[in-house]
Amino acid sequence: MNPREVWVKLGEGGLHAHKTNVYAVIRKLKRGGYSFRLVERGFNGYMVSTRTERYESLEALFKEVSPEDLYRAIQNHPDQEAREVWAEELEFLKGLLEKPAEKKAATPTRQTTLAEVIP
């Protein structure tokens, strides 16, 4: 598998014995930017691919593939060299997906007497 290429599984279709998987193949280009194509891999190994599209930024790719799926695919890539190639994108996606913990403001409490509650 190419270290500059990540396969993101988008879904599967078909019956139990004849499943077809659909992948988004994202390749990091050497001169900047990313290429994107959809690949449908059948149960018998037959593959059908769409035309390759080019994107200049990672944010533009998010209309095709969700950031969570892309992050998971890069993290689970079997090649260690690939994680080094995609290190910058991993840090960006990690920062994008982590939500800052919201601190709840303590509401001030007020003691009341029974005489104030009952008219």
Side-chain angles (χ1 to χ4, degrees), residues 99-104:
K99 295 183 180 177
E102 295 180 14
K103 294 181 180 178
K104 288 188 174 182

Side-chain angles (χ1 to χ4, degrees), residues 2-4 11 23 32 37 39-40 50 52 59 61-62 64-65 68 81 89-90 93-94 107 109-110 112 116 118-119:
N2 187 353
R4 294 188 155 279
Y23 297 95
R37 65 189 168 111
V39 174
E40 186 177 313
T50 61
T52 303
E59 293 88 4
L61 255 171
F62 292 159
E64 305 289 341
V65 179
E68 296 89 8
E81 183 184 348
E89 287 80 4
L90 269 174
L93 290 169
K94 190 176 189 180
T107 57
T109 58
R110 186 176 77 85
T112 60
E116 292 175 3
I118 300 174

Side-chain angles (χ1 to χ4, degrees), residues 13 17-23 39-48:
H18 299 286
K19 284 190 178 176
T20 300
N21 294 328
V22 178
Y23 297 95
V39 174
E40 186 177 313
R41 180 180 277 175
F43 68 96
N44 56 359
Y46 184 72
M47 291 180 19
V48 178

